[in-house]
Amino acid sequence: MRKFLNSAAFLAAFLLGTGLAGAHGFKVGELEIGHPYSRAMLPGAKVGGGYFKIVNPGNTDDRLVSVSSDRATSVQIHEMSMDGTIMKMRELPQGIVVPAGDTVELKPGGYHLMFMNVSQPFKEGEMVKAVLTFEKAGPVEVEFAVGPAGGDAHAGDAHKEHKK
């Protein structure tokens, strides 16, 4: 309950501070999770991606260790990287370290989430719930704003303000 109240308080403060009614962010412990988003899935697709920023203003490293969602049988934490001229994607079973005083961004072409065997394809304009679990900060429920399938990397009008 306390984590939910912390998330709600962070979201309210964020919205008041930015004046962006459509922006969204979440907080657990000292970690700030900014603007989770996904893309609409193409017909027949069984996997969807998930992206967001994690800011750790604290003095202790943390780690994103797992993710779950009612919309997928599993959610994997992945990394894309170049090996010469070949792009490779691999699951990170140990998760992602979020260093103290630093920011980690999950984005297309880098760290990202893979929603596996999605039961109902993500549609533009909807929100997809998921639970991010951190090694030290614990779990936090977030919502991914779903944007266009092949369009802008950020979903929704609220994110346009952050690209300036």
Side-chain angles (χ1 to χ4, degrees):
M1 181 69 172
R2 183 176 177 181
K3 290 178 181 169
F4 171 77
L5 292 175
N6 285 342
S7 295
F10 172 77
L11 178 60
F14 179 80
L15 291 175
L16 289 172
T18 63
L20 299 173
H24 69 293
F26 303 87
K27 184 171 173 80
V28 59
E30 294 194 51
L31 302 177
E32 301 166 5
I33 294 101
H35 316 298
Y37 70 96
S38 186
R39 292 179 175 159
M41 296 170 61
L42 298 174
K46 292 290 185 190
V47 297
Y51 317 100
F52 51 94
K53 283 185 182 178
I54 308 166
V55 178
N56 182 358
N59 297 319
T60 306
D61 293 354
D62 207 331
R63 179 183 298 267
L64 175 64
V65 292
S66 67
V67 182
S68 63
S69 173
D70 291 344
R71 297 287 293 272
T73 57
S74 65
V75 183
Q76 299 176 354
I77 302 167
H78 280 205
E79 175 185 41
M80 290 185 80
S81 62
M82 294 300 291
D83 182 9
T85 58
I86 300 171
M87 181 170 276
K88 293 186 171 187
M89 182 169 63
R90 67 183 178 111
E91 183 180 4
L92 300 173
Q94 303 302 314
I96 299 171
V97 172
V98 185
D102 207 348
T103 298
V104 173
E105 185 172 7
L106 285 76
K107 61 185 180 182
Y111 293 131
H112 62 278
L113 301 181
M114 291 296 293
F115 292 82
M116 309 301 285
N117 298 314
V118 173
S119 57
Q120 292 180 313
F122 301 168
K123 294 181 181 172
E124 185 175 349
E126 73 173 334
M127 302 294 275
V128 175
K129 291 183 180 181
V131 175
L132 310 178
T133 301
F134 293 90
E135 187 174 71
K136 294 176 183 160
V140 60
E141 186 173 296
V142 301
E143 291 186 313
F144 289 79
V146 180
D152 192 292
H154 289 87
D157 291 337
H159 298 284
K160 291 179 182 174
E161 293 296 319
H162 300 285
K163 294 192 288 185
K164 294 179 182 176

